Amino acid sequence: MLDMKRGVSATLLIVAAVLGGIVFVTSAANLGGVTNLFERADAQEDTSTAEAVATAEDLGQAFSSVAERVNPAVVQIRATRVASRRQQDLMSPFGGSPFGGDGTQSGLGSGAFISEDGYVVTNNHVIEGADELRVVLFDGREFDAEVVGADPFSDLAVLEVDSDDFPFITFGDSDELRVGQWVLAFGSPLSEDLSNTVTSGIVSSVGRYSGAPDPRGRTTISNYIQTDAAVNPGNSGGPLVNLRGEIVGINSAIATRTGTFNGISFAVPSNIVRSTVEQLIDSGVVERGYLGISFQAASPALRRAFGASPGAAIIQEMSPDADGDTPAADAGLREEDLIVAVDGVELTDSRQIVSLISSKRPGDTVEITYNREGDERTATVTLGRRPGDDQISGNVRRPQRDDEREPTAAPARMEAYGLTLETVTPRIAREFGEDLEGVAVVEVERSSEAFRDANIRPGMVITEVDRKPVASVSDLEDVIGDIEAGEPFLLRVRAGESSFLTALTKE
């Protein structure tokens, strides 16, 4: 029995030992598995970091490759004007530059070779008014340059250097640009010593429509590429390129409150540049199609009344082209029509008309979609020749300020519309320089539909209501009284030298 018990105990010890070994081995294996998990996690983290670094390095390499290809074709442009102090013009590119001891002023800009035989593209404002132009290349060589042609409307110019075999950059397709795409800006910001500076950024927006005149009051192109690549005075005329090293724009302007880069810059799209440059090289001048209208943005109230789209432009006047023809009128368009699309491109901003038409040439046809009092129609217009610098443009209205008008004796208050009105007096008519009849706007509540949507401001004069002339406040009240509640009605409003159509809703 004792031997049996001893045998059983020995057997149990052996079994326990075996089981313990199994447990030990299993535990060790589990611990090894945990260790392997940490090792794998560390390895994955190292791999992710390495991939991120590699991606960043690849982007940096792309920037470097583009800079190496493009920089040899980028030039610094030094412009000199010989003038007396009396001739200093603050609106010119030389206005802020000092006179030298010899009575000269200097200007600085940038440009790029676009052909091996010496053609350089830059901004018109870089070379305008210059008596001498000199370009400095990336390799230090310097050449005199002559102006082949300049186009103030697009703010572009072409220079020629008398030599050949220059490095040059090709044009890309600016219509393919997408917001968020990387771009590089080249030029000589701020100083001759900072030539061939390269900055990077993204395309912040496309189709920026400024519609603003240049300092001399001339209408300019209104379609820009917006980017956050740093651009400063001196960068003007330099190329904006994509990661293939192609010109997608010419740097032309910045939005700034300080005079230097504040994070937003603008470039003329390459497709406009290419078309303009080709014409300047071929003939020295640029011919653009002319629609033969003046226009402004339709007010929100008017768009609602006619059911027009947000970017609609209202035709104010028909105007003749360089040959005395009226292209838009000849095609059936008339004043107060609302243009909503050009060649199938729906307007999101009325100023698009400028770039859409100016990209065409005289004799080209365009399809204009327009809204005539709620009825949408189309007209095919054969474009005329633009008469000098008088391109189609949105008229700028300048309403009188309250402090420019004398107080009225007994203004009438129309609470429902937030308006204070008075019948036009001889004094008010004299302010407009003619025998004017109507109802003058004395005050407008900023929260009213009249201010917010109909764009009515103090100092304007209402001359028609619901297509009926009004010569007094009582005339206006009588006409509005016949309109059913909830119905929109039209108003013709005089502002300065121009008038426009807008709308209100009968309360």
Side-chain angles (χ1 to χ4, degrees):
M1 181 66 72
L2 182 59
D3 291 338
M4 185 179 295
K5 288 181 179 179
R6 287 177 177 170
V8 171
S9 298
T11 301
L12 290 174
L13 286 172
I14 293 171
V15 171
V18 171
L19 290 174
I22 292 173
V23 171
F24 175 79
V25 171
T26 303
S27 299
N30 288 338
L31 288 173
V34 171
T35 301
N36 288 336
L37 284 174
F38 281 118
E39 289 175 351
R40 284 199 298 272
D42 290 340
Q44 289 173 355
E45 184 176 347
D46 290 342
T47 301
S48 298
T49 301
E51 290 175 350
V53 170
T55 299
E57 288 179 341
D58 288 344
L59 182 60
Q61 287 293 335
F63 287 171
S64 296
S65 296
V66 173
E68 289 167 1
R69 290 200 308 273
V70 170
N71 252 329
V74 176
V75 300
Q76 182 180 101
I77 299 175
R78 298 175 183 176
T80 304
R81 185 177 79 165
V82 181
S84 67
R85 294 179 185 274
R86 190 177 303 173
Q87 292 174 310
Q88 188 173 17
D89 180 0
L90 294 178
M91 294 188 296
S92 80
F94 305 93
S97 60
F99 284 92
D102 56 356
T104 62
Q105 287 177 290
S106 60
L108 179 67
S110 304
F113 283 109
I114 53 172
S115 67
E116 63 180 357
D117 53 353
Y119 287 114
V120 174
V121 64
T122 185
N123 282 143
N124 174 67
H125 75 258
V126 168
I127 59 91
E128 189 172 29
D131 295 308
E132 298 176 1
L133 292 168
R134 196 157 181 83
V135 298
V136 182
L137 276 62
F138 183 57
D139 59 13
R141 290 181 293 166
E142 296 187 19
F143 295 89
D144 290 328
E146 297 293 331
V147 178
V148 174
D151 179 43
F153 178 76
S154 62
D155 192 23
L156 295 171
V158 177
L159 310 181
E160 185 176 13
V161 176
D162 188 17
S163 189
D164 53 22
D165 199 25
F166 289 108
F168 65 94
I169 320 172
T170 58
F171 288 105
D173 186 352
S174 54
D175 288 344
E176 293 183 354
L177 281 178
R178 299 172 61 193
V179 173
Q181 181 176 331
W182 282 103
V183 286
L184 301 179
F186 290 75
S188 300
L190 303 174
S191 166
E192 293 179 358
D193 297 332
L194 299 177
S195 63
N196 294 88
T197 294
V198 185
T199 58
S200 66
I202 62 168
V203 175
S204 305
S205 183
V206 293
R208 286 299 195 200
Y209 302 101
S210 72
D214 71 3
R216 297 182 185 274
R218 297 172 300 202
T219 302
T220 58
I221 191 170
S222 62
N223 179 6
Y224 291 98
I225 299 164
Q226 179 184 325
T227 174
D228 65 351
V231 169
N232 281 289
N235 273 114
S236 292
L240 183 74
V241 306
N242 59 23
L243 292 188
R244 293 191 292 271
E246 300 168 329
I247 297 175
V248 292
I250 294 297
N251 301 310
S252 298
I254 57 176
T256 178
R257 294 179 177 175
T258 63
T260 54
F261 183 65
N262 284 177
I264 298 175
S265 58
F266 301 97
V268 180
S270 60
N271 288 354
I272 294 175
V273 178
R274 190 200 320 246
S275 172
T276 302
V277 164
E278 288 173 353
Q279 292 189 65
L280 289 176
I281 291 175
D282 288 343
S283 63
V285 296
V286 179
E287 284 196 333
R288 289 192 171 83
Y290 189 68
L291 191 57
I293 64 170
S294 64
F295 68 91
Q296 67 183 40
S299 68
L302 186 62
R303 296 198 308 264
R304 281 201 303 270
F306 289 160
S309 54
I314 183 169
I315 299 176
Q316 290 183 295
E317 293 180 327
M318 298 297 180
S319 52
D321 66 5
D323 300 316
D325 299 321
T326 50
D330 293 344
L333 289 163
R334 65 190 191 201
E335 293 176 9
E336 299 179 1
D337 285 339
L338 273 59
I339 297 177
V340 296
V342 177
D343 276 342
V345 178
E346 185 172 341
L347 302 183
T348 57
D349 186 306
S350 62
R351 293 167 293 185
Q352 280 178 268
I353 295 176
V354 176
S355 57
L356 290 171
I357 297 300
S358 63
S359 64
K360 310 285 186 180
R361 296 194 180 188
D364 288 350
T365 59
V366 293
E367 185 178 87
I368 302 295
T369 305
Y370 63 99
N371 181 307
R372 180 172 291 169
E373 297 191 10
D375 181 21
E376 192 163 289
R377 311 178 184 188
T378 59
T380 301
V381 182
T382 300
L383 299 176
R385 291 193 304 117
R386 179 171 57 87
D389 285 332
D390 300 325
Q391 303 93 358
I392 57 173
S393 62
N395 285 353
V396 178
R397 303 196 307 272
R398 179 188 174 272
Q400 285 183 303
R401 302 193 315 265
D402 291 337
D403 59 5
E404 291 177 333
R405 305 182 67 258
E406 297 176 16
T408 59
R413 180 70 181 164
M414 299 187 71
E415 295 288 348
Y417 303 99
L419 294 171
T420 301
L421 307 170
E422 69 169 324
T423 300
V424 169
T425 63
R427 174 185 58 77
I428 296 173
R430 284 195 300 272
E431 291 178 357
F432 284 84
E434 61 184 83
D435 186 15
L436 181 68
E437 289 189 336
V439 177
V441 179
V442 179
E443 294 178 356
V444 189
E445 289 184 6
R446 297 183 66 87
S447 60
S448 66
E449 179 192 10
F451 185 95
R452 186 184 62 251
D453 291 344
N455 294 336
I456 296 174
R457 301 292 185 267
M460 295 181 178
V461 172
I462 300 170
T463 58
E464 291 181 9
V465 177
D466 201 29
R467 301 290 189 185
K468 299 178 180 65
V470 293
S472 65
V473 173
S474 60
D475 287 350
L476 181 144
E477 291 173 336
D478 289 344
V479 175
I480 293 178
D482 293 335
I483 299 170
E484 294 185 11
E487 288 295 316
F489 58 92
L490 302 177
L491 298 94
R492 178 169 295 285
V493 181
R494 181 70 181 270
E497 296 181 357
S498 64
S499 64
F500 65 99
L501 200 67
T502 189
L504 288 174
T505 304
K506 173 63 180 295
E507 297 294 333

